[in-house]
Amino acid sequence: MLQSSTLKFLTDLVQNNNREWFLENRNRYDDSKADLEKLVGTLITEVGKFHDLGNLQVKDCIFRINRDVRFSKNKDPYKSNLSAGIGPGGRSSGRVDYYLHIQPGGQSFLGGGMWDATAEQLAKYRQEVDYNADELKSIINDKEFREYYPEISGESLKTAPKGYPKDHPEIELLRRKQLFFIHRFSDKDVTSKGFADSIVKGMKLLKPYTDFMNYILYDANPEAEDIQL
């Protein structure tokens, strides 16, 4: 569980997103970050029982609260959330891992999936879907999986990708540029004693999907032709 004070800090930050206020309330941020670190430490221990995380440390998982505003119209210096990436290598692994997002107002969520794939990786994904979609579909259409992850996020092409017919039986999956599954938490969930257990359950359900995508996108080396994004 997280403390209600952590959500209160984030709520107040939205209303006071400037450096002066943040520095005046730095102790509140430090307490909130420590609160998240404690939770992530618990998650690493529990997830490590079914997923080899290597020598993953809490500090490797927590994302910075500072925003990169160089190329953004939004010049708020701080994010309105706390977040962590959990998996071998932590937040910077570049692979498909577990992502935990904490944001007040029912915007907290656990998720994971294909999000920032390159053209080559999308070609690998689509080739796998074209040749054998059954394995992927058996994972993401599993009843327990979809009950926990009812929301699919991400962009799709408006038409069939180059090289595939519009009437392909798996056209919906082939059109996907992103395939990210989300389970949302209310503020009450976040501050409840069963919060960590619920996250661990979600990560265990998500693991077959992340394993599948990591193999397709990173570990396998099929010959895949470039396709139109």
Side-chain angles (χ1 to χ4, degrees):
M1 64 180 287
L2 291 177
Q3 301 301 311
S4 57
S5 57
T6 295
L7 296 183
K8 182 63 166 61
F9 166 75
L10 291 171
T11 299
D12 292 346
L13 177 59
V14 171
Q15 304 300 321
N16 303 276
N17 202 322
N18 61 77
R19 188 170 183 272
E20 291 73 22
W21 183 89
F22 188 86
L23 292 177
E24 290 175 0
N25 290 269
R26 179 64 194 234
N27 62 320
R28 295 178 63 194
Y29 166 67
D30 290 340
D31 289 344
S32 299
K33 183 181 178 184
D35 195 24
L36 178 63
E37 289 173 340
K38 182 179 179 181
L39 173 63
V40 170
T42 298
L43 297 177
I44 290 174
T45 297
E46 294 304 312
V47 173
K49 295 176 182 179
F50 60 84
H51 189 155
D52 184 3
L53 298 176
N55 189 34
L56 183 64
Q57 303 295 310
V58 171
K59 63 181 178 63
D60 300 322
C61 300
I62 309 296
F63 285 94
R64 286 166 51 92
I65 197 168
N66 303 75
R67 295 183 63 250
D68 184 351
V69 300
R70 292 174 297 173
F71 307 106
S72 175
K73 293 182 180 180
N74 179 1
K75 297 303 180 182
D76 288 345
Y78 305 105
K79 300 173 185 174
S80 57
N81 64 80
L82 295 174
S83 57
I86 301 174
R91 66 182 182 276
S92 302
S93 72
R95 293 171 68 88
V96 180
D97 293 323
Y98 314 112
Y99 175 72
L100 179 63
H101 183 99
I102 303 299
Q103 187 171 358
Q107 299 184 75
S108 299
F109 67 87
L110 171 68
M114 182 174 67
W115 188 257
D116 194 23
T118 65
E120 179 183 1
Q121 289 168 341
L122 279 173
K124 292 179 179 180
Y125 160 75
R126 288 175 178 146
Q127 180 174 304
E128 183 67 21
V129 170
D130 182 35
Y131 288 170
N132 178 24
D134 289 346
E135 183 177 356
L136 174 60
K137 289 166 65 178
S138 70
I139 295 170
I140 64 176
N141 292 333
D142 175 78
K143 181 180 178 181
E144 189 175 8
F145 181 92
R146 292 311 301 272
E147 285 178 349
Y148 190 93
Y149 292 104
E151 185 175 342
I152 306 176
S153 181
E155 297 180 358
S156 293
L157 295 173
K158 294 182 179 180
T159 186
K162 185 178 180 180
Y164 297 96
K166 294 181 179 180
D167 61 350
H168 192 290
E170 306 300 343
I171 191 60
E172 293 304 315
L173 285 174
L174 288 171
R175 289 174 53 236
R176 281 281 175 184
K177 295 175 65 177
Q178 299 167 324
L179 188 60
F180 194 91
F181 292 89
I182 288 176
H183 176 92
R184 296 193 180 275
F185 298 101
S186 67
D187 291 354
K188 183 178 180 180
D189 293 331
V190 171
T191 55
S192 69
K193 291 183 178 179
F195 186 44
D197 290 339
S198 182
I199 297 172
V200 172
K201 174 185 176 181
M203 290 177 170
K204 186 177 291 187
L205 287 170
L206 194 61
K207 184 178 184 296
Y209 173 62
T210 61
D211 286 348
F212 177 87
M213 295 306 298
N214 278 318
Y215 178 76
I216 296 303
L217 301 183
Y218 299 99
D219 302 329
N221 293 296
E223 295 182 1
E225 299 179 355
D226 290 340
I227 59 174
Q228 178 181 341
L229 301 185

